[in-house]
Amino acid sequence: MSKQNTLAILKPDTVAAGNAGKVISVIEDSPLEIVAMRFLKLSLNQAKGFYAVHKKRPFFKDLCRFMTSGPVVVMVLQGEDAIATWRDMMGPTNSKEAPKGTIRRAFGTDIERNAVHGSDAPETAAEEIGYFFPGIDLV
Ligand code: CMP
C-alpha cells in the first residue's frame, strides 16, 4: 500500500438533491482525507475537456450536458490506496448495479446520473487533479 491522491467529483445530481454534505460526511468517516475542494459549475468546454477520453462514445454529448446542468464539488482525496479505496466506496459506474453500502447505491440513479466520479489510475488521477487544481502542491 502507498499514499495516493485521487480526484473525486460530486456530480450535479448529488449537489442538486442536497446530498453533497452527506457524501462529504461519508468521506470524513472513511480513511480518506479531503486535501483540496472547489465548488463550481462546469462550462461545456471544461466538461468536454475533462471527459475527452470518452469523446467518441455515444453517451458523450448527454454526459457533458448532465455534467454542466448544475454545480459540482471537485475534491482531491488522499490516503493509502486512495484510488481503489474511493472506487470501492463509490461502487460500479451503473448505480443500478451498485451494492448496498456504496455511495452510488445510496445517491445515484442510473449509469449517467451516478452521483460521483473517481479517477481510475495513478496517471489519470494526476491528470485530473491538474485539470481542476493546476499547480497545486500536494505532499
Ligand atoms: P464517470 O466515472 O464520471 O466516468 C465517465 C462517465 O460516463 C461515467 O461516470 C458515467 O456517468 C458516464 N457513462 C459511462 N458509461 C455510460 C453509458 N453507457 N451510458 C451513459 N453514461 C455513461
Side-chain angles (χ1 to χ4, degrees):
M1 291 223 295
S2 64
K3 190 164 105 170
Q4 287 179 329
N5 297 310
T6 191
L7 187 91
I9 304 178
L10 313 188
K11 296 188 179 187
D13 54 337
T14 297
V15 176
N19 289 330
K22 292 171 199 154
V23 177
I24 289 170
S25 259
V26 171
I27 296 167
E28 288 178 328
D29 289 340
S30 82
L32 298 177
E33 193 185 346
I34 300 169
V35 294
M37 177 153 67
R38 289 179 66 191
F39 182 88
L40 74 161
K41 188 165 185 295
L42 298 185
S43 68
L44 190 56
N45 276 343
Q46 271 178 312
K48 283 180 175 171
F50 183 75
Y51 281 119
V53 66
H54 297 304
K55 69 172 182 261
K56 299 255 162 65
R57 303 284 198 94
F59 58 81
F60 181 67
K61 200 171 165 201
D62 284 344
L63 172 63
C64 291
R65 191 179 298 140
F66 164 56
M67 289 301 292
T68 55
S69 65
V72 297
V73 179
V74 183
M75 295 181 289
V76 180
L77 307 180
Q78 188 175 78
E80 294 295 322
D81 277 330
I83 294 169
T85 301
W86 176 234
R87 289 180 74 81
D88 285 349
M89 287 166 63
M90 290 193 298
T93 305
N94 190 346
S95 308
K96 290 184 192 299
E97 292 166 6
K100 256 191 166 164
T102 63
I103 292 169
R104 283 172 168 155
R105 169 72 171 254
F107 302 112
T109 305
D110 53 28
I111 197 164
E112 179 184 89
R113 301 172 67 82
N114 62 356
V116 283
H117 167 83
S119 310
D120 62 3
E123 302 72 33
T124 29
E127 269 175 42
E128 292 180 358
I129 290 168
Y131 193 81
F132 286 112
F133 299 93
I136 195 168
D137 192 14
L138 295 165
V139 185

